[in-house]
């Protein structure tokens, strides 16, 4: 039974986007392992709070990440 974890920065993606990630990742796994595995393919979305992660020695906020994505 496959288990896929997706870790995200809290507040960057809305519920609909996270549901879409779960659906598409499940579909990708099923494409590899076969339709019979759909019902036992787990996808978990975990969110990390601002300040609890960093990149390049900095701790950007969700707003900073959204600005980077739109710019």
């Amino acid at each position: 039974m496959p288990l896929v974890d997706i870790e995200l920065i809290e507040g960057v993606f809305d519920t609909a986007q996270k549901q879409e990630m779960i659906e598409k990742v499940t579909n990708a796994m099923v494409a590899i392992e076969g339709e019979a595995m759909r019902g036992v393919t787990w996808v978990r979305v975990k969110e990390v709070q601002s300040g609890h992660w960093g990149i390049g020695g900095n701790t950007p906020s969700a707003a900073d990440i959204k600005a980077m994505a739109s710019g």
Side-chain angles (χ1 to χ4, degrees), residues 22-60:
I22 291 168
E23 179 183 346
K24 288 184 176 184
V25 168
T26 299
N27 289 340
M29 293 301 296
V30 168
I32 295 165
E33 60 196 9
E35 188 61 41
M37 296 298 285
R38 183 177 298 278
V40 295
T41 298
W42 292 53
V43 179
R44 300 186 301 187
V45 175
K46 300 177 177 186
E47 292 185 296
V48 179
Q49 294 176 348
S50 287
H52 291 195
W53 70 278
I55 184 168
N58 299 307
T59 55

